[in-house]
């Protein structure tokens, strides 16, 4: 008999996935369900209940996930109850609903098959069937429209809580986005102190495993954006449930999950979720259909993602290139910068689209594009010129702050647009009252770094305006900011007395030499001291600064061997030039050449000591420079190189610039011809050629 009973129980357990039971659940005001009374109302379970007469076995057999059967309810002694159906976890990934005959219909998500399980519900004469009264479900959009504050949403939850609770958090974040920063801070304080807030959080944690996955992600995103600390039980619980249910994704969920990961701070659970997200994207990348979703996923994938995954996403984006809208093309720069992946094909194609539709482009888009180009080290001269031309053409409608920010980004890229910078200088001269200390420092740094004021028509007027504006802040400016401003003036060969006198005070110098950034300050002070001694326009030549000794400027780790070989062939041997020469004021030059008074013959260094000083008329300094020493796409030297050339000229040198990247491309004969034209004057070339042949 016991064997038969055991066999029967085993068979019944196998059918537990298909046969649900009903439980009468008590619905509390917060929506939390607790088992109150257990009844069995299904035919297939009546016999079992009569035979076994044990609710313990009944609970054991059907202890899996439940769904709510909303069309059946009981009313007992004023207690509102709902009937919940238990189903096995194997059916969790399927949609369940009831047809008109009270049969349970299972819709398989994966193969689309319909499976019907006959579960005829026989109601005994002892049961009293009534319609359950429930609050109407309210959407997050309606909540956000009807409520004006976060507390209003919590009040609505207190009056009639509805399922799911994620709608309340989503509505609160929607309302918070409409508020100012001060209003947000005030409303968040009220939210945290509201008596229903903790209840809503508990409700959300209990619903996390049964609400739709997208609502779970919406609520997690809203909770984080509302400023609820990430180390709270609420956030960590939602993170864990999100990890467990990650396979329930669709394209909307991928997009929302990307946004969630983007706003969350690093922690253990976030890292695990990030790893799972990358695995999911790697498997499903080719199934993503929406371009916007693809870009959101790419932006969230992380800079430290495997290069193979980045290339796979790049290939997917290239496949969808024909479907890119203008907004997609504009966003692609920011997306690639976020994943730290420089795809030249994508960047070039998107640059063309941006330039073709440049008119009406918002300032925010332009700033994002330039910032992304800086992060990716993407230098597209056509793109930069097109953007600068558009800003210059619409200059009158731009705010000073926006144009300055664009100029700062151009300076970071090493790009100098003459027309736009001239217009900005004109605006500054006309309206100097609009300058604050931060703007003054940024303008001085930008114009000195790009060496723009050199030979400008309104150079003196612009520099006077900037010096006057700086003078107005001398009583409040910090020592380091004052040093930065004066250093920028030195690069532009301009020396305002008021600013210099303030900087050269002993207490200011002492503060600079004891600050955390002492090395940088000492370097700038040495340059200031060099300018006081070498520049002709300085009126403070008698001032001597006592500064720590600077380390010698290190020669390049890989000296230009080709230039040395060309000079040796051109001049007749290595005895006619000197390499890696260190000069006073911590300057370094790559090669030094000495010539006679007629400037048509190079003197060997062995004869220089015996020659009189009057015989040596020309000292030649050869500097091997990289692309970064010039403004992008031009031969215009940047600020430091221009100052170094000015100081070398003051020390009696004729400066020759040799571009490393151009020299590497030249054949030996072309390289010799190039340096010959640089070293000798045009009229002296025939004589020099004869002298070289004789040596």
């Amino acid at each position: 008999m016991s064997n038969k009973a055991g066999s029967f129980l085993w068979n019944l357990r196998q059918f537990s996935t298909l046969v649900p039971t009903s439980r009468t659940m008590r619905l509390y005001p917060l929506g939390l369900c607790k088992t109150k009374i257990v009844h069995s109302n299904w035919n297939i379970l009546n016999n079992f209940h009569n035979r076994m007469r044990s609710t313990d076995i009944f609970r054991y057999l059907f202890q899996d996930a439940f769904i709510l059967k909303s069309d059946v309810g009981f009313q007992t002694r004023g207690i509102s109850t709902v009937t919940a159906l238990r189903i096995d976890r194997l059916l969790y990934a399927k949609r369940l609903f009831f047809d008109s005959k009270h049969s349970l219909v299972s819709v398989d998500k994966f193969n689309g098959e319909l499976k019907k399980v006959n579960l005829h519900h026989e109601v005994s004469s002892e049961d009293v069937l009534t319609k359950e009264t429930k609050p109407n479900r309210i959407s997050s959009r309606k909540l956000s429209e009807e409520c004006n504050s976060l507390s209003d949403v919590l009040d609505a939850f207190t009056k009639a809580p509805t399922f799911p609770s994620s709608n309340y958090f989503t509505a609160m974040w929607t309302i918070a986005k409409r508020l100012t920063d001060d209003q947000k801070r005030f409303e968040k304080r009220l939210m945290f102190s509201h008596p229903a807030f903790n209840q809503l959080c508990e409700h959300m944690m209990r619903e996390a495993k049964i609400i739709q996955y997208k609502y779970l992600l919406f609520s997690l995103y809203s909770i984080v954006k509302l400023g609820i600390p990430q180390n709270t039980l609420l956030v960590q619980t939602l993170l864990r449930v999100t990890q467990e249910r990650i396979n329930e994704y669709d394209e909307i969920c991928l997009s929302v999950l990307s946004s969630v990961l983007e706003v969350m701070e690093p922690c253990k659970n976030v890292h695990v979720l990030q790893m799972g997200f990358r695995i999911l994207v790697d498997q499903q990348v080719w199934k993503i259909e929406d371009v916007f979703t693809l870009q959101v996923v790419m932006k969230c994938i992380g800079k430290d993602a495997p290069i193979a995954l980045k290339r796979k996403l790049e290939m997917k984006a290239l496949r969808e290139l024909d479907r890119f809208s203008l907004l997609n093309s504009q966003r692609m720069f920011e997306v690639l910068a976020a994943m730290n992946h420089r795809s030249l094909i994508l960047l070039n194609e998107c640059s063309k689209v941006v330039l073709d539709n440049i008119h009406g482009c918002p300032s925010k888009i332009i700033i994002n594009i330039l910032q992304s180009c800086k992060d990716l080290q993407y230098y597209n001269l056509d793109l930069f010129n097109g953007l600068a031309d558009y800003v210059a053409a619409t200059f009158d409608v731009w705010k000073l702050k926006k144009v300055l920010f664009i100029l700062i980004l151009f300076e970071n890229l090493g790009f100098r647009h003459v027309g736009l910078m001239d217009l900005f200088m004109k605006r500054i001269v006309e309206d100097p009252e609009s300058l604050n200390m931060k703007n003054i420092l940024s303008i001085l740094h930008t114009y000195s770094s790009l060496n723009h004021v050199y030979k400008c028509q309104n150079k003196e007027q612009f520099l006077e305006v900037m010096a006057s504006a700086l003078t107005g802040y001398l009583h409040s400016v910090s020592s380091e900011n004052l040093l930065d401003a004066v250093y920028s003036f030195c690069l532009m060969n301009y020396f305002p007395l008021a600013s210099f006198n303030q900087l050269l005070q002993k207490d200011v110098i002492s503060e600079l030499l004891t600050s955390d950034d002492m090395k940088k300050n000492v370097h700038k002070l040495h340059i200031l001291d060099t300018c006081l001694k070498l520049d002709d326009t300085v009126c403070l030549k008698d001032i001597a600064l006592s500064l720590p000794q600077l380390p010698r400027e290190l020669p390049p780790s890989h000296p230009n061997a080709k230039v040395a070989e060309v000079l040796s062939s051109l001049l007749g041997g290595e005895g006619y030039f000197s390499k890696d020469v260190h000069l006073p004021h911590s300057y370094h030059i790559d090669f030094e050449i000495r010539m006679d008074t007629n400037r048509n013959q190079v003197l060997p260094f062995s004869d220089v000591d015996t020659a009189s000083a009057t015989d040596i008329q020309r000292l030649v300094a050869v500097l091997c420079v990289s692309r970064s020493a010039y403004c992008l796409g031009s031969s215009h030297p940047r600020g430091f190189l221009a100052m170094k050339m000015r100081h070398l000229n003051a020390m009696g040198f004729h400066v020759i610039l040799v571009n490393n990247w151009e020299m590497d491309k030249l054949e030996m004969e072309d390289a010799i011809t190039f340096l010959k034209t640089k070293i000798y004057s045009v009229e002296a070339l025939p004589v020099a050629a004869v002298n070289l042949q004789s040596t």
Side-chain angles (χ1 to χ4, degrees):
M1 186 66 182
S2 60
N3 292 337
K4 291 183 179 180
S7 177
F8 175 78
L9 289 174
W10 184 88
N11 289 325
L12 185 59
R13 200 172 291 122
Q14 305 308 308
F15 283 99
S16 64
T17 60
L18 297 177
V19 184
T21 184
S22 65
R23 283 188 181 182
T24 303
M25 313 285 283
R26 182 165 184 171
L27 184 63
Y28 287 84
L30 290 180
L32 306 180
C33 296
K34 295 184 179 180
T35 303
K36 183 66 178 176
I37 309 169
V38 177
H39 295 286
S40 176
N41 296 315
W42 303 101
N43 286 338
I44 194 169
L45 298 179
N46 280 334
N47 294 333
F48 171 71
H49 186 269
N50 293 333
R51 290 182 185 180
M52 304 306 296
R53 301 181 182 277
S54 173
T55 57
D56 292 334
I57 298 177
F58 189 83
R59 288 190 181 118
Y60 172 75
L61 293 175
F62 304 97
Q63 59 183 356
D64 296 307
F66 68 88
I67 61 172
L68 295 180
K69 188 173 186 299
S70 60
D71 58 340
V72 179
F74 299 92
Q75 188 72 23
T76 305
R77 296 182 182 178
I79 299 177
S80 175
T81 62
V82 294
T83 301
L85 303 178
R86 284 280 186 173
I87 64 172
D88 188 7
R89 290 184 181 90
L90 294 176
L91 293 179
Y92 187 74
K94 302 177 181 180
R95 295 181 183 176
L96 300 175
F97 61 92
F98 291 89
D99 62 7
S100 59
K101 297 180 181 181
H102 300 285
S103 296
L104 182 62
V105 180
S106 170
V107 182
D108 196 324
K109 286 184 179 180
F110 304 104
N111 52 32
E113 296 178 359
L114 296 180
K115 299 178 182 179
K116 182 178 290 188
V117 182
N118 292 323
L119 300 172
H120 298 288
H121 185 201
E122 295 183 359
V123 183
S124 65
S125 59
E126 297 177 357
D127 291 334
V128 180
L129 184 62
T130 60
K131 289 289 183 181
E132 181 187 4
T133 59
K134 297 187 297 184
N136 294 327
R137 179 173 176 176
I138 186 169
S139 66
S140 59
R141 177 179 295 182
K142 187 175 181 181
L143 270 172
S144 62
E145 291 173 353
E146 294 179 352
C147 300
N148 297 319
S149 66
L150 308 186
S151 298
D152 290 346
V153 177
L154 292 172
D155 291 339
F157 168 76
T158 304
K159 293 177 183 177
T162 61
F163 179 87
S165 301
S166 59
N167 287 338
Y168 296 97
F169 285 109
T170 305
M172 284 194 289
W173 170 236
T174 303
I175 294 172
K177 289 190 293 185
R178 302 196 296 252
L179 305 176
T180 63
D181 292 338
D182 292 336
Q183 289 174 332
K184 282 181 185 178
R185 285 190 290 269
F186 178 72
E187 285 293 331
K188 286 179 182 179
R189 284 198 297 269
L190 294 180
M191 178 188 72
F192 287 124
S193 61
H194 197 284
F197 180 70
N198 288 337
Q199 298 173 359
L200 178 60
C201 293
E202 292 176 2
H203 205 179
M204 186 67 240
M205 286 190 288
R206 284 168 171 79
E207 293 179 3
K209 289 190 176 182
I210 61 174
I211 62 175
Q212 293 185 32
Y213 192 55
K214 63 179 179 181
Y215 291 134
L216 173 63
L217 295 174
F218 284 141
S219 60
L220 180 56
Y221 179 81
S222 301
I223 286 169
V224 174
K225 295 295 287 184
L226 283 170
I228 298 176
Q230 194 169 307
N231 59 351
T232 56
L233 179 61
L234 172 64
V235 177
Q236 293 301 316
T237 300
L238 297 185
L239 275 174
R240 291 296 300 272
V241 177
T242 302
Q243 297 168 20
E244 295 170 3
R245 300 179 57 185
I246 195 170
N247 286 327
E248 300 176 36
Y249 79 97
D250 56 18
E251 280 205 22
I252 295 177
C253 294
L254 272 180
S255 178
V256 180
L257 181 55
S258 302
S259 301
V260 168
L261 290 171
E262 190 175 357
V263 299
M264 298 203 73
E265 299 175 358
C267 72
K268 200 170 191 178
N269 280 327
V270 172
H271 178 71
V272 173
L273 186 58
Q274 176 84 29
M275 294 301 102
F277 175 74
R278 288 178 181 176
I279 294 173
L280 187 65
V281 171
D282 186 60
Q283 294 174 348
Q284 305 296 331
V285 60
W286 305 115
K287 297 181 181 179
I288 299 176
E289 296 181 359
D290 184 65
V291 176
F292 177 79
T293 301
L294 175 64
Q295 290 187 324
V296 172
V297 169
M298 293 174 68
K299 187 177 180 181
C300 174
I301 205 65
K303 295 183 178 182
D304 58 340
I307 188 64
L309 179 57
K310 291 181 180 181
R311 288 175 178 170
K312 186 180 289 189
L313 289 167
E314 177 189 2
M315 292 302 298
K316 174 63 177 177
L318 288 173
R319 284 189 180 185
E320 304 293 337
L321 199 56
D322 294 338
R323 297 175 52 213
F324 273 26
S325 64
L326 173 60
L327 182 59
N328 293 140
S329 298
Q330 293 170 341
R331 282 174 49 88
M332 203 66 224
F333 293 87
E334 185 179 359
V335 168
L336 291 173
M339 62 187 297
N340 193 26
H341 185 67
R342 184 173 61 175
S343 172
L344 293 179
I345 300 177
L346 276 174
L347 290 170
N348 290 338
E349 291 300 321
C350 292
S351 297
K352 295 177 184 177
V353 176
V354 169
L355 290 177
D356 291 340
N357 301 272
I358 188 63
H359 295 287
C361 186
S363 60
K364 183 179 180 181
I365 297 294
I366 294 177
I367 290 171
N368 286 340
I369 289 175
L370 294 176
Q371 182 64 51
S372 301
C373 290
K374 172 183 174 292
D375 295 339
L376 292 170
Q377 296 183 354
Y378 174 66
Y379 304 101
N380 187 329
L381 194 58
D382 293 334
L383 174 64
F384 299 160
N385 275 319
L387 294 176
D389 288 341
Y390 169 70
V391 176
T394 57
F395 187 80
D396 293 337
V397 301
W398 285 75
K399 293 183 179 179
L400 180 72
K401 182 179 179 181
K402 296 287 186 181
V403 179
L404 177 57
F405 197 23
I406 290 174
L407 289 177
I408 292 172
L409 290 173
F410 277 143
E411 185 275 330
N412 292 334
L413 293 162
F415 175 71
R416 170 177 172 260
H417 191 274
V418 177
L420 180 59
M421 298 190 77
D422 285 345
L423 284 173
F424 190 80
M425 288 175 63
K426 184 179 179 182
R427 170 82 67 89
I428 294 301
V429 172
E430 293 174 352
D431 187 20
E433 301 298 328
S434 60
L435 297 176
N436 55 36
M437 190 62 217
K438 186 176 180 181
N439 291 344
I440 293 171
L441 293 174
S442 299
I443 294 170
L444 289 175
H445 172 74
T446 300
Y447 277 77
S448 63
S449 174
L450 296 176
N451 188 30
H452 181 71
V453 296
Y454 178 68
K455 292 185 179 179
C456 285
Q457 293 181 353
N458 56 346
K459 168 186 174 181
E460 294 298 329
Q461 191 177 6
F462 169 74
L463 292 175
E464 288 174 3
V465 168
M466 295 303 300
S468 176
L470 178 61
T471 303
Y473 288 94
L474 289 180
H475 64 283
S476 60
V477 65
S478 66
S479 300
E480 292 191 352
N481 285 343
L482 179 60
L483 176 60
D484 291 339
V486 172
Y487 173 77
S488 297
F489 278 122
C490 288
L491 291 181
M492 294 184 287
N493 198 22
Y494 186 76
F495 306 94
L497 289 178
S499 301
F500 267 77
N501 289 331
Q502 176 78 9
L503 177 64
L504 296 177
Q505 293 180 7
K506 291 184 178 181
D507 56 337
V508 176
I509 297 295
S510 177
E511 182 179 349
L512 291 171
L513 296 179
T514 56
S515 67
D516 295 335
D517 209 357
M518 186 193 71
K519 290 184 179 180
K520 185 184 77 171
N521 294 340
V522 170
H523 174 71
K524 290 184 177 181
L525 287 171
H526 270 281
I527 290 177
L528 172 62
D529 184 56
T530 301
C531 292
L532 293 176
K533 295 176 180 177
L534 295 179
D535 284 316
D536 296 332
T537 57
V538 183
C539 301
L540 304 169
K541 292 184 179 293
D542 296 334
I543 297 177
L545 296 176
S546 178
L547 301 173
Q549 187 65 32
L550 269 180
R552 278 190 171 187
E553 184 179 351
L554 295 176
S557 56
H558 301 286
N560 199 319
K562 186 172 183 178
V563 176
E565 184 180 357
V566 171
L567 288 175
S568 180
S569 300
L570 176 64
L571 303 177
E574 294 186 359
Y576 288 87
F577 61 92
S578 179
K579 295 187 292 185
D580 298 332
V581 181
H582 291 277
L583 302 175
H585 310 293
S586 301
Y587 279 128
H588 163 269
I589 59 177
D590 297 289
F591 302 96
E592 179 185 359
I593 303 172
R594 299 180 180 182
M595 306 184 71
D596 65 352
T597 54
N598 296 323
R599 298 188 301 172
N600 59 6
Q601 187 174 2
V602 176
L603 300 176
F605 272 72
S606 58
D607 296 342
V608 169
D609 296 334
T610 59
S612 62
T614 56
D615 293 335
I616 305 174
Q617 187 197 11
R618 195 181 199 192
L619 297 174
V620 179
V622 180
L623 302 180
C624 300
V625 295
S626 60
R627 288 180 185 269
S628 60
Y630 298 100
C631 294
L632 185 66
S634 71
S635 59
H636 184 79
R638 298 191 67 171
F640 184 78
L641 177 60
M643 182 187 66
K644 183 176 181 178
M645 293 171 62
R646 187 172 71 242
H647 289 169
L648 289 176
N649 289 334
M651 288 188 280
F653 284 93
H654 170 71
V655 181
I656 296 176
L657 300 180
V658 177
N659 301 332
N660 290 331
W661 72 96
E662 291 181 351
M663 182 61 65
D664 293 338
K665 296 178 182 178
L666 294 177
E667 299 292 337
M668 183 59 68
E669 294 182 0
D670 296 331
I672 292 174
T673 303
F674 170 77
L675 284 179
K676 182 186 292 186
T677 58
K678 292 287 186 179
I679 295 173
Y680 300 101
S681 57
V682 177
E683 56 276 3
L685 281 177
V687 179
V690 173
N691 292 335
L692 285 173
Q693 290 177 358
S694 63
T695 56

